[in-house]
Amino acid sequence: AQSVTQLGSHVSVSEGALVLLRCNYSSSVPPYLFWYVQYPNQGLQLLLKYTSAATLVKGINGFEAEFKKSETSFHLTKPSAHMSDAAEYFCAVKGSSNTGKLIFGQGTTLQVKP
Amino acid sequence: EAGVAQSPRYKIIEKRQSVAFWCNPISGHATLYWYQQILGQGPKLLIQFQNNGVVDDSQLPKDRFSAERLKGVDSTLKIQPAKLEDSAVYLCASSWDRGNTGELFFGEGSRLTVL
């Protein structure tokens, strides 16, 4: 069965610093992996997705993630944090069926300090 | 393009009462999902519809939760009777491609507090 684990429920960085949010997955089939972002009082928004093409995936707002099969990881990075990046970030894996079901991690809250 | 619409945004009820949430997906999206997001956890799928048929309801507590999508467009999720542990945000999402790519469009959610 598919699952994801996000390491660290809270991450705090200074504005301009590197952002690194960690995600490890478990999948019995080649995975489809996603990062979603949730701003306060808003719904989830797709940040980027990996669907077995390039292993380095670029998303919106300067975020990118690298798929590493050997490490079963899909960590999210951004070179320079901005105050507007403060939000909750969810890693997700698509279920093995064709139903489109997403299995989410528990989320990581990103705090950006001035 | 209008996004996924949900109502009400907030609802407070007492345990054993009933509540209903409504969702209108993005126009043309045949697939509709209801997720439950408990504080501190990631969203968990409750039910998935393809048009007006149920694709997956394996994690829906059917003794108290029900959902319908009668005309293949908007959907209603009902809880009756509510328990304290049902306090959560109920997220509706839709997709255009039967979910094959996993790209979902979410509404802002309906926050339920059960006292």
Side-chain angles (χ1 to χ4, degrees):
Chain A
Q2 276 73 7
S3 67
V4 291
T5 302
Q6 292 184 239
L7 302 177
S9 59
H10 288 86
V11 170
S12 181
V13 301
S14 297
E15 191 172 19
L18 171 72
V19 175
L20 171 61
L21 305 182
R22 300 177 186 272
C23 173
N24 287 89
Y25 70 91
S26 173
S27 177
S28 56
V29 298
Y32 280 19
L33 294 162
F34 307 82
W35 277 99
Y36 278 81
V37 60
Q38 187 176 32
Y39 298 103
N41 297 315
Q42 294 186 28
L44 280 74
Q45 177 184 2
L46 181 65
L47 205 53
L48 50 79
K49 64 180 179 181
Y50 168 76
T51 56
S52 75
T55 56
L56 182 62
V57 181
K58 294 185 183 299
I60 61 172
N61 301 335
F63 284 91
E64 62 182 34
E66 186 172 8
F67 172 72
K68 292 187 176 180
K69 184 177 179 180
S70 61
E71 300 177 6
T72 61
S73 69
F74 190 58
H75 301 332
L76 182 70
T77 60
K78 182 174 181 179
S80 177
H82 192 273
M83 296 296 291
S84 61
D85 294 327
E88 190 158 21
Y89 293 79
F90 293 93
C91 182
V93 62
K94 184 175 175 294
S96 58
S97 69
N98 291 324
T99 64
K101 174 182 180 179
L102 291 183
I103 299 164
F104 287 88
Q106 79 275 23
T108 298
T109 300
L110 175 65
Q111 180 188 23
V112 182
K113 298 178 291 185
Chain B
E1 178 182 81
V4 176
Q6 290 189 246
S7 67
R9 290 293 311 278
Y10 305 92
K11 189 73 175 180
I12 301 174
I13 62 174
E14 296 190 349
K15 59 183 179 182
R16 292 187 290 274
Q17 288 187 324
S18 63
V19 62
F21 302 111
W22 174 84
C23 171
N24 188 256
I26 292 173
S27 178
H29 283 195
T31 312
L32 185 147
Y33 313 78
W34 282 102
Y35 279 83
Q36 179 191 56
Q37 185 179 13
I38 293 173
L39 186 65
Q41 300 181 18
K44 182 185 79 172
L45 179 69
L46 292 176
I47 189 167
Q48 178 183 346
F49 292 95
Q50 181 65 28
N51 296 309
N52 60 350
V54 175
V55 175
D56 184 346
D57 64 355
S58 57
Q59 297 192 86
L60 185 75
K62 298 180 184 65
D63 57 336
R64 298 182 299 106
F65 285 66
S66 65
E68 59 183 14
R69 193 184 185 199
L70 292 176
K71 296 183 179 179
V73 180
D74 55 354
S75 175
T76 302
L77 176 71
K78 296 180 181 178
I79 307 174
Q80 181 180 9
K83 292 185 175 181
L84 296 177
E85 59 261 36
D86 299 332
S87 293
V89 177
Y90 291 87
L91 295 166
C92 181
S94 67
S95 65
W96 59 272
D97 62 348
R98 300 176 63 93
N100 287 334
T101 63
E103 183 172 350
L104 275 55
F105 296 82
F106 284 84
E108 294 181 328
S110 295
R111 183 179 298 276
L112 173 65
T113 301
V114 182
L115 304 176

